[in-house]
Structure formats: structure tokens, C-alpha cells
Amino acid sequence: MPAITLYGARKNYGGSAPDAVSDLDLVIDDGEFMCLLGPSGCGKTTTLRMVAGLEHLSGGRIAVGERVVDCVTSGTFVSPEKRGMGLVFQSYALWPHMTIERNTDFGLRLRKVPRAERQERVEKVMKTLGIEKYRDRYPSQLSGGQQQRVALARMLAVNPDVLLLDEPLSNLDARLRLEMRAELKRLHEEFKTTIVFVTHDQWEAMTLATSIAVMSEGALQQVGTPNDIYERPANRFVAEFVGSPPINIVEMGEGSTNPLAVSARAYFARHHPRLADIGSIGMRPESVAFALDEKAIPDGAFSEKAVVSGVLPTGGSWIIELAAQGAKLFLTTHQPPAISDGDAGWFHIRPETLHVFDAEGVRHAAADTQLRGEVGSTARRATRKVPA
């Protein structure tokens, strides 16, 4: 299927309320698994519904290849059933009076697909999703994970060009969610279907997506691969939203009198005096280390005195809480830590792993160049470029 492109897409529900989605430019490539990621109320489900045709645009347009499916200025609107897309709702929406087999072939019957072809396609998709043995049961006789598989099977049976998933795993327990993530990943690789997946769960997005679009308050913050989003967040919102434990932020504005901020400003003045307009720095927990002996701190690292205030085992890894010059920091390790509460020492972090943001909270491109040696790199603040 051709790429789906949103040009300045906007949605407003009327009155004095702000836009639910504002000036959204986004490209969803053929065969891509894109996750729309963000907190509740950020506009991700509204975006999905606009792509599906369940919501009319308030401004802008949506095109599938060269075909415009929604445009306010021209009055164009293609109805949902003519867009070649399948939508799986959070609630599954299975027919309670139909067997699993009848639920699965429901869309094919509506399309009047010949019986032989219908049976072949239903058999294949049910076998792929491991639900063929439940064909004669009813939805109420299945677990949540099994019902989710049926909802997916119903959409895959009609072979949509695009599969739209609106937080389909949120009703499942932790183990089933893990299983279904693996199932969705496998299905994408097997069917090569374009998938747009809405979630507020960063780990779902990181483990499933080939690309992630992070949204906040109706605006797109950044688009990129999972590694792009995590390793090069375009701004502080992305940096703080993605990551668990969350990134450690040190406010460095001139008005900040926190001792750790004073120490950080002195570090940059000493080691990187050409860098200006630093509003804050971020330190990923896995990049921070702790040393009991000051001699163990690498040359050029940013470091400061700290006291261990907590050692929290999480099963296979440990979160260590530090009190450093009036600030609370977290670091993670996969090795059993040889420290305990109350131990005094130094935290330290290599400069190339620091995330530096300017006073507006945007990634500091000059800092990337100087600290990481990324010559000519620029942060993608919000979107991919799309044609006008």
C-alpha cells in the first residue's frame, strides 16, 4: 500500500477547547510498524481515528499515496469502509452470540467472499494465531488474550492494507501482554501489513515498532526508530517520557542554585567552555556509575559526591538511589552491587552519554557535536519532512 501522509492535520471538537490534534505532519510508510506514543489525552487515538475515517478533520488533509481521503478545503472525504483499513478496538468488540469461527469470518461474509476462499483464509489465520481449536466456542468462554487473538484474526482475515490498533493490549495481564507483543511482532514480519499502533506504554512501543511518533498535547514531538527516540531524544519531554527508571534531569539555568547544578555549570565551564545556553542536562540511569574510591573516576567524567540512599532489587537488575548535593539520582546495574545504604562515594558519567538541552528544552545540537563527536548532526524536533 502507498504511504499514508498527514499534512497539517488538525482536530478540534468545538467551543473554546484547544485542538485535540494540532498541525500534524506525519508519514507512515508501506509495511511500517508505527507506534503513536504518548500520555493520555495527547491526541494519539484521535489521530488513529482520523486515519481510519471515524473522525473528520478540522483542518489539513490525509492522503494515501496520491489519493486524498480527507481534505477540509476541497470537501473530500472517503468513508472508512472504502479506505482498505482494519481497526482493532481496545474492547475487542466481538459478537457474543457468534462462535469464534463466525466472528473470524464476519468481515469476509459482509464482503461476500466465496465460501471456499473464505474457509481457506479463516483456516489459515486461525491456525497462525493458534485459535483454531476454539472455533466452536463463544467469546465468553475465552480468556482476554484469546479474545484479543480473535479480534486480530477477524481483521487479518479480510487482509486489510493497514491494520490500526487502539491500545489492544491494555486489558491484558502482564504475562499475556508479553505474549501478545511477541505475537504482533511475528505477525508483522509474516504478513508485512502496515500497522499503526496506539499505546501509552513505552516498552510496547520500544519492543514492537519500527518507528515511533511521540505526541504531547496534540502536537508531534519526534519521529524516529526506537533507538533514535531513546538515544537522541529531540527534547526534554521525549527524554523524560521514554525510559524506566526515568532519566535524571539537572536544571542548569542561571536561576538554579542547587549545588549539583552549580557543580555541573563549573564542569562545563572547565571542560567545555564553548558551550552556551545550556538549560539542563539529562543522565540515563544505565549511564551513571558509582565509585567508593575517587581514583576510580575516569578522566574527563562529570562527577560529584553522593551517598547511597537505597538499593532496590528488581529481579536480574538493581536500581540504586543516590543523594547527590541535594538532588536525587537513580542508576541501574545488572551486576550485584557491592554497596549498601549509607555508603559515601562519587557518582560519575562519561560526557558523551550526557543529554544536553537548551533553555527551551530542545536538544542542544552543539553539545552533541562537541561531546559525542556527531559532526553535522541535528535533532529532529518533531516530524519527518513531507511534501507540501
Side-chain angles (χ1 to χ4, degrees), residues 98-102 126 131-138 141:
M98 292 185 183
T99 64
I100 299 313
E101 184 174 11
R102 288 299 300 271
M126 289 180 70
I131 58 174
E132 72 276 13
K133 60 185 175 182
Y134 308 125
R135 64 172 67 248
D136 296 323
R137 296 189 188 181
Y138 291 89
Q141 296 173 308

Side-chain angles (χ1 to χ4, degrees), residues 23-315:
D23 194 28
L24 176 60
D25 290 339
L26 184 65
V27 178
I28 303 168
D29 292 324
D30 181 30
E32 191 167 32
F33 195 136
M34 173 170 281
C35 279
L36 303 181
L37 175 66
S40 297
C42 71
K44 55 189 185 295
T45 293
T46 301
T47 299
L48 191 80
R49 291 174 63 86
M50 290 191 298
V51 172
L54 300 180
E55 298 281 0
H56 289 256
L57 293 175
S58 301
R61 71 186 191 275
I62 299 175
V64 179
E66 299 298 322
R67 179 193 184 203
V68 175
V69 296
D70 197 350
C71 180
V72 175
T73 55
S74 67
T76 303
F77 181 78
V78 176
S79 59
E81 69 274 12
K82 296 179 181 178
R83 297 194 183 190
M85 302 178 186
L87 177 60
V88 177
F89 296 94
Q90 183 177 343
S91 62
Y92 312 148
L94 300 177
W95 294 108
H97 64 289
M98 292 185 183
T99 64
I100 299 313
E101 184 174 11
R102 288 299 300 271
N103 265 285
T104 304
D105 74 0
F106 181 75
L108 297 175
R109 288 177 179 272
L110 288 180
R111 287 164 174 78
K112 301 187 185 303
V113 174
R115 181 176 179 179
E117 181 183 350
R118 186 174 71 234
Q119 289 178 336
E120 180 181 354
R121 287 165 67 173
V122 167
E123 191 67 31
K124 179 181 178 181
V125 74
M126 289 180 70
K127 187 174 182 180
T128 299
L129 287 167
I131 58 174
E132 72 276 13
K133 60 185 175 182
Y134 308 125
R135 64 172 67 248
D136 296 323
R137 296 189 188 181
Y138 291 89
S140 61
Q141 296 173 308
L142 301 185
S143 68
Q146 291 163 346
Q147 290 184 46
Q148 179 62 75
R149 286 182 169 89
V150 176
L152 284 170
R154 181 175 57 190
M155 283 296 100
L156 291 172
V158 299
N159 194 27
D161 295 319
V162 178
L163 188 58
L164 308 175
L165 306 176
D166 186 10
E167 300 200 52
L169 309 184
S170 60
N171 294 331
L172 306 182
D173 60 38
R175 181 170 180 175
L176 281 174
R177 291 183 78 166
L178 184 61
E179 291 176 358
M180 285 307 301
R181 287 177 198 170
E183 191 72 31
L184 284 171
K185 191 84 170 180
R186 185 181 63 80
L187 287 171
H188 179 249
E189 293 172 355
E190 180 175 342
F191 287 92
K192 308 300 181 185
T193 302
T194 301
I195 297 178
V196 185
F197 186 102
V198 165
T199 183
H200 63 270
D201 187 323
Q202 57 176 299
W203 293 122
E204 280 184 2
M206 295 291 287
T207 55
L208 287 173
T210 56
S211 62
I212 298 173
V214 183
M215 299 183 68
S216 174
E217 298 182 348
L220 190 61
Q221 303 296 309
Q222 185 177 3
V223 178
T225 66
N227 284 342
D228 287 337
I229 298 297
Y230 189 78
E231 295 174 4
R232 289 183 50 79
N235 54 43
R236 274 191 54 175
F237 174 83
V238 177
E240 294 180 79
F241 187 77
V242 178
S244 180
I247 193 170
N248 300 291
I249 295 289
V250 180
E251 299 284 358
M252 287 179 55
E254 292 299 327
S256 177
T257 58
N258 182 287
L260 187 57
V262 174
S263 177
R265 285 199 293 267
Y267 167 82
F268 277 93
R270 184 168 62 253
H271 292 277
H272 307 284
R274 288 181 297 171
L275 290 180
D277 189 35
I278 297 178
S280 58
I281 60 172
M283 301 179 285
R284 291 288 186 196
E286 67 274 13
S287 299
V288 181
F290 181 77
L292 294 171
D293 186 348
E294 190 175 11
K295 295 179 181 179
I297 300 173
D299 291 341
F302 172 49
S303 64
E304 189 51 81
K305 292 180 178 179
V307 176
V308 177
S309 54
V311 178
L312 314 172
T314 61

Side-chain angles (χ1 to χ4, degrees), residues 333-351:
T333 177
H334 292 287
Q335 300 298 323
I339 54 177
S340 56
D341 291 7
D343 285 351
W346 290 260
F347 83 83
H348 57 89
I349 181 170
R350 301 191 314 276

